[in-house]
């Protein structure tokens, strides 16, 4: 890695997006990071979103391990199958994930969702960063506001 690359990208997607067929090989992602001056990036696999979170998260770990430290693995947590008693976040952290990612638009949850609140608490307890992807920032703000009314 070039020492001049100090940027950090928070959302690199690995593999192929099944909705449009787009995607780059992992090596091309690292080359693009070099061109753009990005030293490291959180990364997750499209497979985690469109197929199976467990299988996709395993693929994420493999790709990130092969990137010489340039890609930091972020695990997709699908709240529809989340068990608040399974220590999901702690297990992901012990596997080597550096963050957890939640996607509201794709998985259909809101800020008032019990599973979301459980994951957030578990992530805080485990000192694991939690990236929450929403379609529009107001979506989350409105849901948080509704939850406190």
């Amino acid at each position: 890695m070039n020492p001049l690359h100090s940027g950090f990208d928070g959302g690199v997607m690995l593999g192929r997006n099944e909705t449009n067929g787009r995607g780059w090989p992992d090596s091309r992602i690292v080359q693009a990071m070099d061109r753009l001056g990005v030293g490291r990036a959180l990364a997750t696999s499209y497979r985690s979103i469109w197929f199976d979170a467990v299988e996709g998260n395993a693929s994420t770990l493999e790709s990130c391990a092969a990137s010489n430290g340039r890609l930091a693995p972020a695990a997709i947590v699908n709240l529809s199958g989340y068990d608040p008693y399974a220590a999901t976040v702690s297990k992901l952290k012990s596997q080597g994930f550096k963050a957890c990612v939640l996607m509201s638009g794709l998985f259909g949850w809101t800020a008032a969702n019990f599973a979301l609140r459980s994951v957030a608490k578990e992530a805080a307890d485990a000192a694991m960063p939690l990236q929450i992807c929403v379609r529009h920032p107001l979506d989350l703000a409105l849901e948080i506001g509704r939850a406190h009314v």
Side-chain angles (χ1 to χ4, degrees), residues 42 74-75 89 93 97-101 119 123-124 126-132:
L42 277 179
V89 174
K93 187 173 184 175
F97 286 98
K98 304 301 181 197
C100 288
V101 179
V119 169
M128 179 77 126
L130 184 61
Q131 183 180 58
I132 299 176

Side-chain angles (χ1 to χ4, degrees), residues 2-130:
N2 184 329
L4 298 176
H5 293 173
S6 59
F8 191 93
D9 190 308
V12 171
M13 299 302 295
L14 305 168
R16 187 168 57 100
N17 182 337
E18 291 300 316
T19 64
N20 60 25
R22 294 183 186 144
W24 287 0
D26 299 347
S27 61
R28 190 165 171 212
I29 290 172
V30 173
Q31 290 170 357
M33 290 168 57
D34 287 341
R35 280 194 321 276
L36 297 171
V38 176
R40 297 189 72 208
L42 277 179
T44 193
S45 172
Y46 277 119
R47 190 179 298 167
S48 301
I49 299 167
W50 304 119
F51 296 107
D52 178 78
V54 174
E55 180 182 313
N57 286 339
S59 173
T60 297
L61 284 173
E62 290 172 20
S63 292
C64 291
S67 75
N68 295 322
R70 300 291 301 280
L71 300 175
I76 293 287
V77 178
N78 186 341
L79 296 181
S80 66
Y82 176 76
D83 176 355
Y85 303 105
T88 301
V89 174
S90 296
K91 288 176 185 172
L92 291 168
K93 187 173 184 175
S94 71
Q95 292 171 15
F97 286 98
K98 304 301 181 197
C100 288
V101 179
L102 301 174
M103 296 184 162
S104 67
L106 294 174
F107 295 126
W109 52 264
T110 67
N113 185 299
F114 173 77
L116 168 65
R117 294 170 185 273
S118 297
V119 169
K121 179 172 182 349
E122 189 180 346
D125 291 346
M128 179 77 126
L130 184 61

